[in-house]
């Protein structure tokens, strides 16, 4: 006797975020530790060498945080007004910061001493950077100028004043001490070479006020952000636009490289940090924050991600270690240990074990099968006994018909296949009939289930067309009719839109053919109508009277 075949439940794939290697990698960040400052976090800079101290510019001070203890390691308060853009030198010994007074101040991290004050700007200095040789600094000021300074002599070497608005963004090359970029509110990004005092070598238009710029370590590509757009430029091709990406809903405020230059991270006022693949500039992951993000910092090993926000919060997230993962989820670690144990897939058969003879792999080895318990659901049990009404009642419980309608539709499909739908629907009282009608009215507009549900609805109408119905059942039949009529109206509107598209495409193709005889004709638009509506257009509309 053949074994009973279980009812096939058709399940459609769920629409959700695709889990990739990047998703798993960035999800390993622990719950953030937050520190509250008195003002917005203007800028965050991470020391490029261990122990990866974090310089935070906020209000009238610069603070150096220890990323492990989350405590202030050093703080510098020699500012009359706001401090901006603190940057740590590559050897981790010095830090510079701009201020509202138009000066750039140099501090020794070890002794907290003020070593130099670079005076020459007439407006606030929002960004300043050490050059690659560590003996020069570049400052970017609101007086529309960019200046290069000599560190030992405390003198200005050269100044460029080509911008027509505030210069709020800037960066330097990591391999050349002569190249640096500036971004301004006049929508332009300019590349300077200190060996060419006549002016900028490359100038590009970003299209909106530039908030931040970044130069790749290879010195062949640079990136600018402003407004809701990120733009990638080819430096070697004279500033040719390579990519233009708009993934944020509000202004992008900061940029940072991660994963050894393979990922680009942007933060914005929409409280998100987007992580891009630098090959395709597609978003591979998104980090969420409780407030608009003004600055970002990431350690070279991606172990710590720091975000500064407009409400004065500093968020520090650390990557989860293997020991922490095991401590947080001991059951999962036990499963991994059990899976790692040796499991024998093959075994010797009984004949070879009972008879002492030469081993033959072809006949003396059998596959070890795992016995599985065959669980049979209640509706399958009733279907096996040909009790169709009870099988349908089983899948019309409130939980199944609301949370798992695919099971109810699967059983209805099986009843149609067995020609048992009429016997399952006939002879029902008001309570059971109301469950069926409620389910049909709720799901008849779903394209994934429409074909089956429409067949059930037509069968139900044929059975109860000549019967006397109670007021409750009549009301439910009228609700079903309203759902069908509404879907038919949707189909009519879609067909009108389809006709308009045909006319537009036909006219476009005709104009293109007149302009060029080699234009390929566009393929006609195929109608994309919901299956529920298309089938409902052909069904009878039941009028209760």
């Amino acid at each position: 006797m053949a074994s009973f075949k279980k009812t096939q439940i058709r399940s459609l794939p769920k629409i959700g975020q695709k889990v990739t290697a990047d998703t798993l990698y960035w999800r390993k960040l622990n719950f953030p530790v937050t520190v509250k400052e008195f003002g917005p976090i203007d800028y965050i800079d991470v020391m490029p060498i261990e122990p990866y101290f974090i310089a935070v510019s906020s209000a009238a001070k610069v603070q150096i945080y220890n990323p492990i203890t989350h405590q202030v390691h050093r703080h510098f308060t020699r500012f009359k007004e706001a401090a901006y853009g603190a940057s740590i030198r590559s050897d981790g010994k010095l830090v510079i910061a701009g201020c509202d007074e138009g000066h750039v101040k140099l501090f020794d991290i070890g002794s907290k001493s003020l070593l130099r004050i670079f005076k020459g700007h007439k407006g606030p200095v929002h960004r300043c950077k050490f050059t690659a040789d560590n003996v020069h600094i570049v400052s970017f000021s609101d007086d529309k100028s960019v200046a290069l300074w000599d560190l030992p002599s405390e003198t200005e070497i050269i100044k460029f004043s080509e911008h027509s608005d505030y210069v709020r963004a800037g960066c330097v090359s990591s391999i050349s001490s002569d190249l640096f970029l500036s971004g301004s509110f006049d929508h332009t990004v300019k590349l300077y070479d200190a060996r060419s005092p006549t002016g900028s070598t490359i100038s590009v238009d970003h299209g909106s006020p530039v908030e931040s710029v970044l130069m790749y370590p290879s010195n062949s590509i640079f990136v600018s952000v402003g407004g809701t757009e990120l733009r990638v430029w080819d430096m070697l091709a004279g500033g040719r636009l390579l990519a233009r990406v708009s993934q944020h809903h509000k202004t992008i405020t900061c940029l940072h490289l991660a994963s050894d230059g393979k990922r680009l991270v942007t933060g914005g006022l929409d409280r998100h940090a987007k992580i891009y693949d630098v090959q395709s500039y597609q978003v591979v992951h998104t980090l969420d924050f409780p407030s608009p993000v003004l600055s970002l910092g990431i350690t070279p090993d991606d172990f710590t991600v720091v975000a500064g926000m407009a409400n004065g919060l500093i968020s520090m997230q650390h990557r989860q270690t293997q020991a922490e993962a095991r401590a947080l989820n001991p059951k999962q670690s036990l499963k991994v240990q059990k899976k790692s144990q040796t499991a024998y897939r093959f075994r010797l058969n009984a004949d070879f074990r009972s008879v002492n003879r030469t081993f033959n792999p072809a006949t003396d080895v059998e596959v070890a099968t795992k016995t599985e318990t065959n669980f049979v659901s209640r509706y399958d049990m009733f279907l096996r006994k040909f009790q169709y009404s009870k099988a349908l009642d089983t899948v019309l419980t409130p939980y199944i018909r609301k949370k798992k309608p695919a099971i109810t539709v699967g059983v209805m499909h099986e009843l149609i296949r067995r020609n048992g739908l009429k016997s399952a629907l006939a002879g029902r009282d008001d309570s059971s009939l109301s469950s069926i009608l409620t389910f049909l009215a709720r799901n008849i507009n779903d394209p994934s289930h429409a074909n089956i549900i429409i067949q059930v609805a037509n069968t139900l109408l044929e059975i109860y067309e000549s019967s006397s119905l109670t007021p409750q059942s009549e009301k439910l039949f009228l609700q079903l009719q309203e759902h069908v009529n509404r879907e038919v109206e949707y189909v009519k509107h879609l067909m009108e839109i389809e006709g308009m598209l045909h006319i537009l495409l036909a006219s476009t193709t005709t104009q293109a053919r007149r302009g060029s005889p080699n234009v390929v004709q566009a393929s006609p638009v195929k109608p994309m109508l919901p299956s529920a509506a298309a089938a409902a257009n052909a069904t009878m509309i039941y009028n209760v009277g």
Side-chain angles (χ1 to χ4, degrees), residues 529-542:
L529 303 178
S531 57
N537 209 9
T539 57
M540 57 181 294
I541 306 300
Y542 182 77

Side-chain angles (χ1 to χ4, degrees), residues 416 421-422 425 454-464:
I416 293 172
L421 184 61
K422 284 189 176 182
L425 294 175
I454 288 172
Q455 293 183 52
V456 175
N458 283 331
T459 305
L460 196 66
L461 292 173
E462 291 174 6
I463 294 173
Y464 293 96

Side-chain angles (χ1 to χ4, degrees), residues 17 26-27 29-32 34 247-249 265-275 283 285-293 296 305-307 309 313 315-317:
Q17 184 181 11
W26 292 102
R27 277 182 181 174
L29 293 173
N30 285 325
F31 192 79
T34 57
Q247 293 288 346
H248 286 268
H249 303 299
V265 187
T266 61
L269 298 182
D270 55 2
R271 304 186 300 175
H272 297 307
K274 305 282 185 179
I275 303 173
V283 176
H285 192 65
T286 301
L287 300 176
D288 300 324
F289 296 95
S291 185
V293 180
L296 283 171
V305 177
V306 187
M309 289 167 265
L313 278 180
S315 170
M316 301 184 194
Q317 290 179 273

Side-chain angles (χ1 to χ4, degrees), residues 60 113 127 161 180 200 220 230 256 307 405 412 450 467 469 474 513 522:
S113 303
R127 293 292 178 266
S161 301
F180 42 94
S200 59
S220 59
L230 175 149
H256 207 285
M412 289 178 174
S467 303
L469 300 174
E474 288 184 2
R513 189 179 297 166

Side-chain angles (χ1 to χ4, degrees), residues 346-349 352 357-367:
F346 303 97
R347 66 187 178 195
L348 299 176
N349 58 25
F352 178 77
R357 57 184 175 83
T358 307
F359 174 70
N360 183 7
T363 59
D364 296 333
V365 175
E366 63 181 8
V367 178

Side-chain angles (χ1 to χ4, degrees), residues 392 396 412 416 421-429 432-441 452-467 469 473 476-477 480 540 542:
L392 185 59
L396 285 173
M412 289 178 174
I416 293 172
L421 184 61
K422 284 189 176 182
S423 62
L425 294 175
R428 291 187 171 270
D429 56 6
S432 61
L433 193 61
S434 64
S435 299
I436 298 173
L437 288 170
T438 303
F439 177 79
L440 295 180
I452 305 300
I453 291 178
I454 288 172
Q455 293 183 52
V456 175
N458 283 331
T459 305
L460 196 66
L461 292 173
E462 291 174 6
I463 294 173
Y464 293 96
E465 183 178 6
S466 58
S467 303
L469 300 174
S473 299
L476 293 173
F477 271 109
L480 179 61
M540 57 181 294
Y542 182 77

Side-chain angles (χ1 to χ4, degrees), residues 489-499 528-530 533:
E489 291 297 323
Y490 290 157
V491 173
K492 290 179 180 178
H493 289 306
L494 287 173
M495 294 178 71
E496 291 175 1
I497 295 173
E498 181 189 356
M528 299 294 291
L529 303 178

Side-chain angles (χ1 to χ4, degrees), residues 41-44 126-127 168-170 185 206 208-214 223-230 248-256 265-274 276 289 291-297 306-310:
I41 309 302
D42 172 71
Y43 192 70
I44 289 176
H126 280 262
R127 293 292 178 266
R168 294 286 178 90
F185 281 7
H206 180 82
S208 56
V210 181
E211 300 287 342
S212 183
V213 292
L214 184 145
V223 183
S224 61
V225 293
T228 59
E229 279 192 352
L230 175 149
H248 286 268
H249 303 299
K250 293 184 179 180
T251 301
I252 307 173
T253 55
C254 50
L255 274 170
H256 207 285
V265 187
T266 61
L269 298 182
D270 55 2
R271 304 186 300 175
H272 297 307
K274 305 282 185 179
Y276 305 83
F289 296 95
S291 185
V293 180
L294 299 183
S295 53
L296 283 171
V306 187
M309 289 167 265

